[in-house]
Amino acid sequence: VGSPSAVFRAAAGVRGSHSPPLAFVALPRTNFPAGTVAFCEDSLLVAPASTGCLLGSLMEEGIAVWHYGGPRADAVILAFERGRPWQSFAGALMRCDDLAVQAAVPRAGAERCLVLVGWDGERLPLAVIPLSNITDLRTGIPSGAAVRPRADAPLPTAVGEGAWTVAALHLQPLGGRLRALLRR
């Protein structure tokens, strides 16, 4: 969960105490700056490991991607190839074999794929980046990789026409369920 000033992780309360069953704990700004999105695999959802989660942040020219706990200066930039600029986005690390759009993605032997979905003010474009090496993004992301939308996630017709807009997105790594929080 994030806000303009911090990003939080959910933590279970202590059983048998008077603490709430769920609490939000602020993540260190140096490791997880505000406006950052985590891309984790389903097995790493509870406690992100520095080698198993990636972080991403919107930039004017694309999405910066770097390792959790690593410096943002090491980010690889995935440029937007076409379409409207994204206003917000979500993503997840998923098995490439589990993706319905896998035939449209040149995988080059990659087992893991970075799945990105964005809100551009009208649509929810979906892009897939194969990762042949998750520990070294400079060699693991194919040369020339870009945010190339392969499909659009469905939206109710009123969204994007002024009646509703997308306030937040979440992409679940296990099963690929996309959740969108809408607002008027």
Side-chain angles (χ1 to χ4, degrees):
V1 176
S3 74
S5 60
V7 178
F8 304 88
R9 70 173 174 83
V14 178
R15 204 176 265 196
S17 72
H18 295 289
S19 66
L22 186 65
F24 291 105
V25 178
L27 294 169
R29 281 183 186 246
T30 54
N31 290 350
F32 209 101
T36 301
V37 174
F39 313 124
C40 295
E41 297 180 272
D42 60 331
S43 61
L44 299 167
L45 288 177
V46 177
S50 61
T51 58
C53 287
L54 302 176
L55 301 178
S57 182
L58 276 179
M59 302 177 64
E60 189 173 320
E61 65 271 18
I63 297 175
V65 178
W66 69 99
H67 283 280
Y68 178 85
R72 185 168 182 215
D74 291 347
V76 172
I77 308 301
L78 299 171
F80 290 124
E81 186 171 85
R82 62 180 177 266
R84 297 168 46 104
W86 290 6
Q87 298 171 20
S88 63
F89 76 110
L93 292 172
M94 300 175 71
R95 289 177 24 89
C96 296
D97 289 340
D98 293 343
L99 302 176
V101 294
Q102 65 181 327
V105 179
R107 291 185 29 205
E111 183 179 323
R112 296 284 180 230
C113 285
L114 174 57
V115 180
L116 300 168
V117 61
W119 169 244
D120 67 7
E122 293 180 358
R123 309 173 306 121
L124 289 172
L126 176 73
V128 178
I129 312 289
L131 301 173
S132 60
N133 181 356
I134 194 169
T135 58
D136 183 356
L137 294 179
R138 301 236 178 258
T139 61
I141 294 177
S143 177
V147 179
R148 293 182 184 97
R150 303 286 182 182
D152 289 336
L155 279 171
T157 56
V159 176
E161 296 177 1
W164 293 89
T165 187
V166 173
L169 294 168
H170 172 74
L171 183 60
Q172 182 180 343
L174 184 61
R177 182 177 302 249
L178 175 65
R179 292 182 171 93
L181 179 62
L182 305 178
R183 71 172 170 225
R184 285 188 188 265

